[in-house]
């Protein structure tokens, strides 16, 4: 009898598709969290495969801070048009205008933490019982604690010490009214796996991931993009550098690397030689050692 083997990318793909189908089987109103970043793009691509030839059977949701890269929003809209699926948008600006949250002030102000209230409001108002995300365990130590099915209480909070066992890939999605789950189909993928899969599947990604000329400012040991939201200090200088971004967040907090990687092949080669973490250029994660976990406990993704 001949033996059948999957290579490692096929195994990861198969596992992720199984998780996505399990979400659809166990929950009544799931969504995919879509930011326009490579991980949410990957999850959406896997969802297309999981339910082909039908359309993705649930909507996509974006928490719009109002401080996004313009390229990200443009890419998001093109993906939605191509897929023909519903897009739910939660607006941080609306949360500010409604008095639900207060905008930070000062040089290092960010809307990152304000997303928590907007996200939880959108989950409640749309009666979402499972939000599917592109979080990976290799990204950050708080995300390394996540299960595939991550329970949230009726306040939207996460308790890393009170997660359900997932022995033999058996997932328990039962929850009381008001509670919900976050699901992470690509938990076991690494950054290198993501790029190798994107290259293999020829998945379209925003131009921000490729090296390009951009106006930037050196701040907090990284190149922060110049934008209308950036408050410059007297000693800071706007310069033009050839930059690419490893991860995409708000334009105010996402640092870039000087790079010549302008193709998927070059990106994969560059990532293979890197020793700093993927989120090492995110100023929101530099606020404290537990910045990500503190936000996740409050309801952040």
């Amino acid at each position: 009898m001949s033996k059948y083997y999957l290579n490692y990318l096929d195994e990861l793909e198969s596992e992720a598709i199984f998780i996505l189908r399990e979400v659809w089987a166990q929950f009544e109103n799931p969504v995919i969290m879509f930011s326009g970043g490579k991980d949410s793009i990957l999850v959406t691509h896997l969802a297309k495969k999981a339910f082909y030839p039908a359309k993705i059977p649930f909507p996509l949701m974006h928490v719009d801070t109002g401080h996004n890269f313009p390229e990200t929003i443009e890419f998001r809209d093109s993906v939605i048009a191509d897929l023909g699926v519903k897009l739910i948008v939660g607006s941080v600006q609306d949360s500010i205008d409604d008095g639900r949250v207060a905008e930070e002030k000062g040089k290092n102000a960010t809307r990152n933490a304000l997303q928590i209230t907007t996200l939880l409001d959108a989950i409640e108002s749309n009666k979402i019982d499972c939000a599917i995300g592109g979080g990976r365990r290799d990204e950050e130590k708080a995300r390394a604690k996540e299960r595939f099915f991550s329970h949230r209480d009726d306040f939207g909070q996460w308790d890393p010490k009170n997660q359900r066992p997932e022995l033999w890939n058996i997932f328990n999605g039962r929850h009381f009214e008001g509670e919900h789950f976050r699901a992470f189909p690509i938990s076991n993928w690494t950054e290198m796996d993501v790029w190798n899969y994107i290259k293999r599947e020829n998945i379209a990604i925003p131009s921000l991931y490729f090296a390009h000329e951009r106006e930037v400012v050196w701040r907090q040991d990284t190149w922060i993009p110049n934008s209308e939201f950036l408050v410059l200090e007297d000693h800071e200088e706007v310069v033009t550098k050839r930059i690419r971004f490893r991860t995409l967040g708000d334009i105010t907090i996402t640092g870039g690397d000087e790079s010549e990687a302008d193709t998927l092949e070059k990106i994969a080669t560059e990532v293979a030689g890197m020793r700093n973490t993927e989120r090492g250029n995110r100023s929101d994660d530099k606020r404290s050692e537990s910045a990500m976990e503190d936000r996740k406990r409050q309801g952040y993704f």
Side-chain angles (χ1 to χ4, degrees), residues 138-188:
D138 81 317
E139 283 184 277
E140 203 273 341
K141 57 190 176 184
R143 285 183 167 168
K145 300 178 182 180
E146 289 281 18
R147 303 292 172 88
F148 284 113
F149 276 27
S150 181
H151 176 262
R152 298 297 196 271
D153 65 21
D154 53 355
F155 293 103
Q157 296 175 328
W158 174 63
D159 181 0
K161 295 182 179 179
N162 188 29
Q163 295 297 302
R164 298 172 182 179
E166 295 179 342
L167 305 175
W168 304 288
N169 282 347
I170 297 175
F171 304 109
N172 181 1
R174 294 182 181 178
H175 57 284
F176 293 108
E177 185 176 356
E179 298 177 342
H180 70 278
F181 275 77
R182 312 283 172 86
F184 301 99
I186 61 171
S187 286
N188 288 335

Side-chain angles (χ1 to χ4, degrees), residues 257-284:
D257 294 308
E258 291 188 68
S259 173
E260 295 298 325
D262 54 5
T263 67
L264 290 174
E265 290 76 12
K266 290 180 182 178
I267 289 174
T269 301
E270 183 179 86
V271 169
M274 285 183 162
R275 294 296 176 264
N276 57 323
T277 63
E278 182 179 357
R279 292 182 63 94
N281 284 345
R282 291 283 289 270
S283 60
D284 52 325

Side-chain angles (χ1 to χ4, degrees), residues 67 102-114 217-222 224-225 229-233 235-236 250-254 281-288 295:
H67 288 177
E103 183 140 31
E104 292 184 4
K105 306 295 181 183
K107 168 188 167 184
N108 295 315
T110 170
R111 289 185 170 185
N112 197 45
L114 307 188
V217 175
W218 184 251
R219 180 182 290 182
Q220 293 186 315
D221 297 324
T222 188
I224 298 293
F229 311 112
L230 194 66
V231 179
L232 296 177
E233 296 197 330
H235 69 277
E236 291 180 323
D250 272 6
I251 197 169
T252 58
I253 60 173
T254 303
N281 284 345
R282 291 283 289 270
S283 60
D284 52 325
D285 287 353
K286 296 179 181 180
R287 293 194 166 192
S288 73
R295 295 197 305 270

